[in-house]
Amino acid sequence: MTATKVTLKDVAARAGVSYQTVSKVLNGEMQVAPETMERIQAAVQELGYRPNRIARNMRAGRSFMIGYSWTQTEPGQVNHILDQFLSSMVREAGAVGYYVLPFPFREGNAQVETYRDLIKSGNVDGFVLSSVNYHDPRIQFLLKQQFPFVAFGRSNPEWDFAWVDIDGAAGTRQAVAYLIGRGHRRIAILAWPEDSRVGNDRLQGYLDAMQAAQLAPEPGYILRGEGTFEVGRAMTLHLLDLPADRRPTAIMALNDTMAIGAMAAARERGLTIGTDLAIIGFDDAPMAQYLFPPLSSVRQPIAEAGRKCVELLVALVEGREPEQRHVLLQPSLIIRASS
Amino acid sequence: MTATKVTLKDVAARAGVSYQTVSKVLNGEMQVAPETMERIQAAVQELGYRPNRIARNMRAGRSFMIGYSWTQTEPGQVNHILDQFLSSMVREAGAVGYYVLPFPFREGNAQVETYRDLIKSGNVDGFVLSSVNYHDPRIQFLLKQQFPFVAFGRSNPEWDFAWVDIDGAAGTRQAVAYLIGRGHRRIAILAWPEDSRVGNDRLQGYLDAMQAAQLAPEPGYILRGEGTFEVGRAMTLHLLDLPADRRPTAIMALNDTMAIGAMAAARERGLTIGTDLAIIGFDDAPMAQYLFPPLSSVRQPIAEAGRKCVELLVALVEGREPEQRHVLLQPSLIIRASS
DNA sequence: ATGATAAAGGCGAACGTTCGCCTAGAAAGA
DNA sequence: TCTTTCTAGGCGAACGTTCGCCTTTATCAT
């Protein structure tokens, strides 16, 4: 009802003390007589006082904002991570007095400039970076600026910075080991271009699992390309057109979109998915469970990752050295009818 | 490189003028001698000055922030809207000097309190509301507070507030008219509970299209339930178990998740989707195109909606009366193999 | 010559906090 | 009684802007 802003002075006037006293009392930095305390609290209640965040930040010289940027997906793709990740970050941040400031970008623009601006204008106290890759210019920049940040994903191993990541290799390793356990020997993998750090990590799990089972991975079984439906489909068609004795009986895809492409290809060749050809995806997109047949996939603890990113970042921002600067989370294999 | 913050005073000292002058010059509120101008600009460049946003907001008494909240989807569902909608809002907002402050919530918590807090603490200048429904308490609250907001979605028609919405009725109407044009007469609809404003809107389009074609919609063809895979599947099984002469030949689902459930049911009954049974969804989730068969659906102009919300809200916040307080956007029917 | 006007820029104040230091009075010890 | 110590709270300043008003000097028409 009070359209006008309620300030410390209003509260102080009503409680009959100085406004600085009100501030200190509310922040628990001062002992006052019980009755004064009560008067102040009553005034706060009656006027509905909330400290003005801008003024507080101004004084503190910080913004209590965490910048978060992600690459916007192209039309036709879906970012099923965003909701979970962002929600979990906002919740964790809110619990310690921070907000999250999102700034999506389309690739190709002068990203580092955006970061510089946000820093110089005092808009954010730190960043969470996602979709990081090997030579990520943002990491280089932020390291040079000595500005606090946490990367969701690893990068160049020579750079020393805080990160949270999901153990992609372990995910693929688990999935491929499962396939081997089910008797598969000819297992192909739909991988990503060599400049993809995430892709190489996940691929490594495949190599590890194969080696652990004494299986020499045939070079022809490792295909690389963009992680799209079309690429997944084309790769799988290629694999299925191999001579019968060399045709793979199982396919591991590095994401669900490719796996769905693989499913389409299998259908085109008249194969029954799950029996004629096993397929496992990665990411466990929500749609995976509704596909026909439901797609096995590797699920990542996204919410946990968001929480950890914020926890780590806030520690850095506030100058506390976190107990661990690197967090590696374990994904889990979800088996459905496709494998 | 300059770790320390650069302020107006630093620039002024270097340019040899007062800091207020620098402020005015940078904001284009003052005429100065060309050489002074140059000195100032040089100083800005060399020091890398960016105005401190917090101080600016403090002075302006506003935060230049737009609050945006959405209901976080349950695990297993996906919010394929969020990325597009949020990105488009952030972009549009950025173009006019605003940021977007996200605060997702799980249902059931004291939402209005969150809004009140954000207002009182001066954290936001206005809100964009999504997932609004008939008796939305947030709308009531914000109207009473006379605080600027724009709803993405309509609500109680008696309330007067600014909104942007997608013409769901038109979408369904178009889809059902298409089905009728293809010769279908027995068309069922998988609708939502009666307390869903969006659901009733979309349902109305079905009724309109049927009436326009002089088809009396059989009551048994209108099923209501939650918009989930399981519900869609169960409803469709029920429909398909009707006697052959009353079994529908086409199904319109109010979202893609239900449509996918319908597809699963059809498969269970051994029907070929697209020929034995036509299915159309709503939302055009990215996965729709990759299903088997690809799912026809109604696509909503999400990015456009995000832009409009921000445009409208900023007008309201800045006291300009927008030329139109209600924006109704048209969805488009995407025909694929499922119908 | 004179007053009016414009151009170029200075100066104080304010936004709402928090922080550090100060003070008045009371209690307590010598 | 005098000094010390504690308690409860006051007061000025500062964070970095923007805003309104003032001052100085030059220009111009009368």
Side-chain angles (χ1 to χ4, degrees), chain A residues 282-309:
Chain A
F282 204 115
D283 284 349
D284 192 36
M287 279 293 177
Q289 60 186 310
Y290 302 135
L291 295 169
F292 179 71
L295 176 66
S296 298
S297 195
V298 178
R299 177 181 298 170
Q300 312 186 76
I302 296 300
E304 174 76 7
R307 281 221 311 280
K308 281 290 179 191
C309 282

Side-chain angles (χ1 to χ4, degrees), chain B residues 37-259:
Chain B
M37 178 77 131
E38 246 174 63
R39 284 208 317 277
I40 291 178
Q41 280 174 344
V44 166
Q45 280 298 331
E46 289 159 20
L47 298 176
Y49 170 75
R50 298 272 108 183
N52 181 307
R53 196 153 199 277
I54 299 180
R56 168 177 285 179
N57 293 353
M58 164 98 167
R59 172 67 222 211
R62 315 205 281 117
S63 65
F64 292 93
M65 289 268 174
I66 294 173
Y68 173 60
S69 83
W70 71 96
T71 7
Q72 199 190 352
T73 56
E74 296 104 81
Q77 299 288 80
V78 66
N79 188 342
H80 52 267
I81 295 298
L82 181 62
D83 189 4
Q84 269 191 80
F85 192 67
L86 188 54
S87 294
S88 109
M89 284 208 300
V90 172
R91 198 167 319 120
E92 176 79 10
V96 291
Y98 285 75
Y99 283 103
V100 174
L101 193 70
F103 55 109
F105 57 83
R106 296 176 189 269
E107 54 184 315
N109 61 355
Q111 262 204 65
V112 168
E113 279 316 304
T114 310
Y115 285 79
R116 191 199 304 279
D117 265 21
L118 285 169
I119 294 174
K120 292 220 167 185
S121 62
N123 251 318
V124 299
D125 294 342
F127 290 102
V128 171
L129 309 182
S130 62
S131 346
V132 308
N133 211 337
Y134 288 118
H135 304 295
D136 202 304
R138 301 172 297 171
I139 296 184
Q140 292 181 315
F141 172 73
L142 293 173
L143 279 174
K144 191 172 299 175
Q145 297 282 320
Q146 303 200 43
F147 198 77
F149 74 99
V150 172
F152 178 31
R154 284 161 285 178
S155 177
N156 190 329
E158 293 179 9
W159 294 341
D160 176 38
F161 60 92
W163 51 256
V164 172
D165 202 0
I166 284 163
D167 193 344
T172 329
R173 194 157 51 226
Q174 207 179 335
V176 173
Y178 171 84
L179 290 171
I180 294 172
R182 299 273 292 184
H184 292 280
R185 290 299 173 267
R186 299 200 299 274
I187 304 172
I189 183 160
L190 311 186
W192 293 347
E194 292 188 1
D195 61 0
S196 162
R197 155 87 215 197
V198 173
N200 292 346
D201 181 31
R202 293 183 184 176
L203 175 58
Q204 189 58 49
Y206 165 82
L207 298 174
D208 293 350
M210 294 296 273
Q211 190 175 1
Q214 316 270 7
L215 295 173
E218 190 170 325
Y221 286 176
I222 301 178
L223 302 179
R224 290 180 186 267
E226 296 295 323
T228 64
F229 175 88
E230 264 314 321
V231 168
R233 174 173 164 275
M235 286 177 172
T236 305
L237 287 176
H238 171 77
L239 288 166
L240 294 180
D241 287 344
L242 290 173
D245 60 336
R246 291 182 44 225
R247 179 193 300 160
T249 62
I251 290 183
M252 172 80 217
L254 290 202
N255 68 12
D256 286 347
T257 308
M258 290 179 104

Side-chain angles (χ1 to χ4, degrees), chain A residues 94-110:
Chain A
V96 289
Y98 285 74
Y99 282 104
V100 174
L101 193 69
F103 55 108
F105 56 85
R106 297 176 187 272
E107 54 185 314
N109 61 356

Side-chain angles (χ1 to χ4, degrees), chain A residues 14 40 45 59 64 78 95 110 124 131 135 140 155 157 166 192 205 209 220 224-225 238 278 311 318 322:
Chain A
R14 177 174 270 247
I40 291 177
Q45 279 299 331
R59 173 67 224 213
F64 292 93
V78 66
V124 300
S131 346
H135 303 294
Q140 292 181 314
S155 176
I166 284 162
W192 293 347
R224 289 181 186 265
H238 170 77
E311 182 185 321
E318 302 189 342

Side-chain angles (χ1 to χ4, degrees), chain A residues 18-98:
Chain A
S18 80
Y19 67 95
Q20 296 98 328
T21 299
V22 176
S23 168
K24 287 177 192 168
V25 169
L26 292 183
N27 292 325
E29 292 178 358
M30 194 179 185
Q31 294 284 0
V32 290
E35 48 178 26
T36 311
M37 178 75 132
E38 246 175 63
R39 283 208 317 279
I40 291 177
Q41 281 175 343
V44 166
Q45 279 299 331
E46 289 159 21
L47 298 175
Y49 170 77
R50 297 274 109 184
N52 181 308
R53 196 154 201 276
I54 299 181
R56 169 177 285 178
N57 293 353
M58 164 98 167
R59 173 67 224 213
R62 316 204 282 118
S63 65
F64 292 93
M65 288 268 175
I66 294 172
Y68 172 60
S69 84
W70 71 95
T71 6
Q72 199 192 352
T73 56
E74 294 106 80
Q77 299 288 82
V78 66
N79 187 341
H80 52 265
I81 295 297
L82 181 60
D83 189 3
Q84 270 191 80
F85 191 67
L86 188 54
S87 295
S88 107
M89 284 208 300
V90 171
R91 198 167 321 121
E92 176 78 11
V96 289
Y98 285 74

